[in-house]
Amino acid sequence: MSPFTTHVLRIATGRAETVTDLTDACADFLSGAAAGRDGLLNVFVPHATAGIAVIETGAGSDDDLLTALHHLLPADDRWQHRHGSPGHGRDHVLPALVPPHATLPVVNGRLALGTWQSVCLVDTNKDNPDREVRLSFLG
């Protein structure tokens, strides 16, 4: 086994703001890449308008996150970065609040997440419906 393995996920987020759960895709990747070993999983989105969050999903927290981002980063004409959809400049500020990466512990080949934690792609950019997420295991 190589101490470093990487894989790119291609995610279609569509034309709406989304929180996409990547936890199962991370687990699938680790089943082969980690093969029972301890290490670190880095999740990275190489886009200037998306981020990675570790949050609870399915109980409304994902929608709450999008609502909070709307309050913090309104989609209006206040932004100096003005190409694309109205308010698109806020999408370029998003990675300062929801970083484009997360590094997570892997124990015995599995993500060591808390009971309610999920790894999610946060994408508020309605102009870019196709995303890549790089998963890298070091162990």
Side-chain angles (χ1 to χ4, degrees):
M1 282 286 154
S2 171
F4 181 80
T5 306
T6 191
H7 175 71
V8 174
L9 301 173
R10 289 177 178 32
I11 309 289
T13 56
R15 298 281 181 195
E17 298 177 358
T18 61
V19 175
T20 304
D21 192 335
L22 304 174
T23 310
D24 288 343
C26 290
D28 290 346
F29 168 70
L30 289 172
S31 69
R37 295 178 293 150
D38 294 351
L40 295 171
L41 173 67
N42 183 264
V43 183
F44 175 72
V45 55
H47 299 282
T49 59
I52 300 296
V54 178
I55 63 169
E56 178 182 7
T57 60
S61 297
D62 35 358
D63 290 332
D64 289 343
L65 174 59
L66 291 175
T67 299
L69 290 172
H70 257 284
H71 288 295
L72 292 169
L73 305 171
D76 59 22
D77 64 356
R78 74 183 69 203
W79 308 100
Q80 293 181 32
H81 187 111
R82 293 184 186 258
H83 75 83
S85 296
H88 174 65
R90 69 150 188 155
D91 299 327
H92 287 273
V93 177
L94 173 76
L97 301 175
V98 181
H101 59 87
T103 301
L104 306 164
V106 176
V107 177
N108 198 26
R110 300 178 64 144
L111 275 174
L113 295 173
T115 301
W116 304 112
Q117 289 180 314
S118 296
V119 182
C120 298
L121 169 65
V122 179
D123 186 2
T124 59
N125 183 355
K126 299 175 185 179
D127 296 336
N128 188 353
D130 300 305
R131 298 299 189 163
E132 291 185 354
V133 178
R134 179 171 295 280
L135 306 178
S136 299
F137 175 72
L138 179 63

